[in-house]
Amino acid sequence: MVLMAGSNYNHTYWDFPYAPENYSFRRAMNAAGYATLVADRLGNGASSRPPSGSLTATATAEALHGLVQGLRRGLSSAQPFGKVVIGGHSLSSGTSVMEATAYHDVDGVLLTGYSHALNIPEVLGVISTYHQAAADPEFAGRGHDSGYLVTRPGARERDFFGPGNVDPEVLAVDEKTKEAFSLTEYPDGLTSTLPGMSSFITAPVLLVNGSMDRLSCGPGYSVCVDTATLLAAEAPYFGPAARLRTFVLPGSGHSVNLARNTADYHAAVIGWMKSIVG
């Protein structure tokens, strides 16, 4: 599994350092027998940091394709993998859609914090909480240019978590490990949520949202009432080859990996993985 996080996160989203027995998606997948490669997008985490204006979702999708092909060949002299599944969150779900439709070289696509029913007013509300990374206490002195943005201190609980469904310590670590990004990643990335692109995916898809996701559940969280409702809403946007499955994590916000009940989501992903790759 190749895993990338969304615009406000880095690799720690998939491999959370606090209470990893509960919150590390990577650890849960490894325990189920699946190898994982957690990769930072260009411009964040351990990846190179080019000028912010040069960052695009298309470039990230191309980099993701390179990782997929590298794993099939045997990345860094490792044993080649015969089956590769890509997993994304929020923005990187969009890049996963872009990779899967452009190259058709993966065996499965996990999309989280993603739908075709984006709540645009809420998206704009979250964007309004961004400020320059250089002005943030967690990023001062790191050399980010003015185009790199980050959420303002204290904004993340409302933006990314369901009410009452986050451990206070998780919230504190999440603030410490938040990531900078560039808005130039959004225009092409958001095209993946428009009707059309996802219908060209030819690998099985699992789409996961929290029931209280402000961004991806439509007005009034209408498309995330339950798993069946999400499936009915999203099925028209995928072709038969996607064999679309959905899962709604009750009470979770946008960041399903960090909800108190994230273990239920882990179990849903593992069940899906067994159904598509064994």
Side-chain angles (χ1 to χ4, degrees):
M1 301 182 77
V2 185
L3 307 169
M4 282 188 178
S7 59
N8 291 279
Y9 285 95
N10 55 37
H11 58 276
T12 58
Y13 179 74
W14 296 103
D15 196 11
F16 205 63
Y18 169 73
E21 67 278 8
N22 296 327
Y23 298 108
S24 173
F25 181 94
R26 186 274 309 163
R27 180 167 168 167
M29 295 305 111
N30 291 168
Y34 301 109
T36 50
L37 173 61
V38 182
D40 286 321
R41 299 187 335 278
L42 293 169
N44 78 13
S47 291
S48 59
R49 190 189 303 156
S52 59
S54 69
L55 296 176
T56 63
T58 299
T60 299
E62 291 172 355
L64 178 58
H65 170 62
L67 290 174
V68 171
Q69 291 301 304
L71 288 166
R72 293 196 181 281
R73 292 191 301 269
L75 192 65
S76 299
S77 301
Q79 186 76 13
F81 285 88
K83 294 182 178 180
V84 180
V85 172
I86 54 177
H89 170 247
S90 195
L91 175 63
S92 65
S93 284
T95 58
S96 293
V97 171
M98 295 167 74
E99 198 283 341
T101 56
Y103 302 105
H104 302 283
D105 61 349
V106 296
D107 298 281
V109 184
L110 170 64
L111 305 175
T112 71
Y114 169 93
S115 81
H116 292 81
L118 283 184
N119 190 329
I120 299 302
E122 293 286 5
V123 171
L124 295 175
V126 171
I127 289 174
S128 72
T129 72
Y130 299 161
H131 67 162
Q132 289 185 358
D136 193 278
E138 296 295 333
F139 290 83
R142 295 197 201 176
H144 290 83
D145 70 44
S146 61
Y148 278 98
L149 305 177
V150 70
T151 53
R152 288 185 174 87
R156 297 170 75 86
E157 181 175 11
R158 179 177 180 271
D159 290 348
F160 304 137
F161 296 93
N165 197 11
V166 58
D167 182 325
E169 189 61 29
V170 166
L171 199 59
V173 174
D174 178 61
E175 182 68 32
K176 287 286 186 183
T177 57
K178 67 185 180 181
E179 189 54 77
F181 60 94
S182 173
L183 284 178
T184 57
E185 298 179 77
Y186 280 14
D188 55 339
L190 288 172
T191 62
S192 70
T193 66
L194 299 176
M197 186 182 295
S198 60
S199 66
F200 293 102
I201 297 177
T202 53
V205 174
L206 174 62
L207 196 159
V208 177
N209 280 320
S211 68
M212 302 297 290
D213 188 333
R214 294 177 58 203
L215 307 180
S216 299
C217 286
Y221 310 108
S222 57
V223 304
C224 301
V225 173
D226 53 32
T227 293
T229 301
L230 182 60
L231 180 60
E234 286 294 315
Y237 300 103
F238 293 86
R243 292 155 45 193
L244 180 66
R245 287 174 59 175
T246 59
F247 180 75
V248 171
L249 184 62
S252 173
H254 194 58
S255 298
V256 290
N257 282 20
L258 305 181
R260 288 184 185 272
N261 55 338
T262 192
D264 295 338
Y265 146 63
H266 294 170
V269 175
I270 291 168
W272 173 70
M273 287 288 290
K274 289 179 178 178
S275 75
I276 65 169
V277 298

